[in-house]
């Protein structure tokens, strides 16, 4: 994160919620993850998703490939040239406590936590 000059401090929960709480993000349930390969058009405000995580009210995942294309977020985690891969797709992926995921496979990927 330091070598890439990412603004990691902006991703702690309070700041993240304050900055992006009203942003709608794509979400899906564990069943949708398994049956639809994570494809969804269901959206919730990020503030509501974080509340669901805290309250453990619903088990949802965020898997949004539009988030980092938005004006406010696109500068937070720019992928440096030395880390780019062909057919790069940058997405916001989040899950609440115990969310996990089933075994799956995909092409080359870099996951930052």
């Amino acid at each position: 994160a330091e070598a890439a000059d990412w603004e990691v401090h902006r991703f702690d929960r309070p700041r993240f919620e304050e900055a992006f709480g009203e942003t709608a993000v794509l979400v899906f349930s564990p069943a949708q993850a398994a049956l639809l390969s994570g494809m969804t058009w269901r959206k919730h405000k990020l503030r509501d998703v974080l509340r669901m995580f805290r309250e453990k009210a619903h088990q949802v995942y965020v898997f949004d490939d539009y988030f980092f294309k938005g004006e406010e977020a696109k500068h937070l985690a720019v992928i440096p040239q030395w880390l780019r891969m062909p057919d790069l797709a940058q997405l916001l992926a989040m899950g609440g406590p115990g969310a996990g995921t089933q075994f799956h496979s995909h092409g080359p990927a870099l996951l930052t936590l």
Side-chain angles (χ1 to χ4, degrees), residues 8-112:
V8 176
H9 65 280
R10 302 249 341 247
F11 287 93
D12 72 21
R13 287 186 189 212
R15 288 185 199 183
F16 195 59
E17 186 170 357
E18 181 180 330
F20 301 103
E22 294 301 310
T23 303
V25 292
L26 293 168
V27 301
F28 56 88
S29 69
Q32 283 178 305
L35 298 172
L36 303 174
S37 300
M39 300 303 294
T40 184
W41 293 109
R42 190 171 67 161
K43 290 185 175 187
H44 289 292
K45 289 183 178 179
L46 188 58
R47 182 176 324 286
D48 296 331
V49 173
L50 293 173
R51 179 184 45 76
M52 286 186 247
F53 289 173
R54 284 190 300 270
E55 296 174 359
K56 300 179 185 169
H58 302 284
Q59 195 172 39
V60 296
Y61 303 100
V62 173
F63 199 71
D64 191 310
D65 58 350
Y66 297 100
F67 180 81
F68 287 106
K69 294 175 184 165
E71 277 304 309
E72 300 241 350
K74 70 181 179 183
H75 303 291
L76 293 180
V78 175
I79 307 296
Q81 193 62 39
W82 57 268
L83 197 52
R84 289 181 182 263
M85 293 181 266
D87 301 320
L88 175 73
Q90 184 177 15
L91 26 106
L92 177 66
M94 299 170 60
T101 188
Q102 297 176 351
F103 175 81
H104 64 285
S105 63
H106 46 72
L110 170 71
L111 177 64
T112 59

